[in-house]
Amino acid sequence: MPGGLLLSGAVAALLTTALPAHNSSPVFDNPPPDEIVIDVATVNGSGCPQGTAAVAVSPDNTAFTVTYSQYLAQAGGNSDPTAFRKNCQLNLIVHVPQGFTYAIASADYRGFLSLQPGASATQKASYYFQGSSNTVPKTHPFSGSYNDDWQATDSTDWAQLVWAPCGVQRNFNINTELRVNAGTANPGKVSFMTMDSTDGDISTIYHMAWKTCPTS
């Protein structure tokens, strides 16, 4: 995907508690009224070759969605030895209305998974702002036999949310990974995992929480 792809839309609150009156308080049902713009700075990784991932902001300000079309890891059979692990790093510039900051409160992932008996797979993700340390990766394991859609959700308690710094622009990074292990029970047959739905695309949704920045 070319750098500087500009996608825009509105952004709203993730939760439904009423807005407290004081500054620096969580904003739930009164999100920023202005348009949110997300600029995709870079997209890198074996799971998201150029032109195979897209980002869009929801019209109600609740979330943004990343859609993949070639995110697949596989092992066993005649699979390429390097195909067992696929990854994708998104580097996003989120333009937020003045006086607000945001955090990623949860993320929903889904796809299709086909595992032979004894095989296993893992989906992993981590999130961080430019200049900050990576968060501890959130990992979702799966085991065979399995042949169905899969879904996983990363959730963060309000007290542990990592907020974008107020008053400065810091790119937001999302690192994801799919990994498949063919196991020893039936390594001659292919096991695979995609971040991809039945229509060929996956919509991975990142839910945004909002609060006001303190006034000086």
Side-chain angles (χ1 to χ4, degrees), residues 59-82:
D60 63 356
N61 265 358
T62 306
F64 64 91
T65 300
V66 182
T67 302
Y68 301 98
S69 61
Q70 293 186 23
Y71 205 156
L72 179 148
Q74 65 180 49
N78 294 321
S79 300
D80 187 309
T82 64

Side-chain angles (χ1 to χ4, degrees), residues 9-85:
V11 179
L14 173 66
L15 306 175
T16 56
T17 308
L19 170 67
H22 55 83
N23 287 326
S24 247
S25 58
V27 174
F28 298 108
D29 60 354
N30 289 298
D34 298 333
E35 181 178 74
I36 300 303
V37 177
I38 294 181
D39 182 13
V40 182
T42 58
V43 180
N44 292 307
S46 55
C48 53
Q50 184 173 354
T52 66
V55 180
V57 182
S58 67
D60 63 356
N61 265 358
T62 306
F64 64 91
T65 300
V66 182
T67 302
Y68 301 98
S69 61
Q70 293 186 23
Y71 205 156
L72 179 148
Q74 65 180 49
N78 294 321
S79 300
D80 187 309
T82 64
F84 76 98
R85 177 186 177 273

Side-chain angles (χ1 to χ4, degrees), residues 31-148:
D34 298 333
E35 181 178 74
I36 300 303
V37 177
I38 294 181
D39 182 13
V40 182
T42 58
V43 180
N44 292 307
S46 55
C48 53
Q50 184 173 354
T52 66
V55 180
V57 182
S58 67
D60 63 356
N61 265 358
T62 306
F64 64 91
T65 300
V66 182
T67 302
Y68 301 98
S69 61
Q70 293 186 23
Y71 205 156
L72 179 148
Q74 65 180 49
N78 294 321
S79 300
D80 187 309
T82 64
F84 76 98
R85 177 186 177 273
K86 294 295 177 72
N87 74 294
C88 185
Q89 176 167 324
L90 299 174
N91 185 278
L92 306 176
I93 304 171
V94 182
H95 302 276
V96 178
Q98 186 174 1
F100 285 88
T101 185
Y102 73 96
I104 302 303
S106 68
D108 300 321
Y109 298 90
R110 61 184 175 86
F112 189 83
L113 179 61
S114 179
L115 294 177
Q116 299 295 326
S120 60
T122 303
Q123 184 269 331
K124 182 168 69 172
S126 61
Y127 319 90
Y128 64 99
F129 290 99
Q130 179 183 6
S132 302
S133 300
N134 280 37
T135 57
V136 176
K138 296 181 182 292
T139 303
H140 301 277
F142 301 86
S143 59
S145 59
Y146 192 101
N147 191 55
D148 204 346

Side-chain angles (χ1 to χ4, degrees), residues 182-202:
T184 57
N186 201 352
K189 291 188 176 181
V190 174
S191 293
F192 67 89
M193 184 180 199
T194 72
M195 277 221 277
D196 148 323
S197 65
T198 54
D199 62 359
D201 294 317
I202 176 162

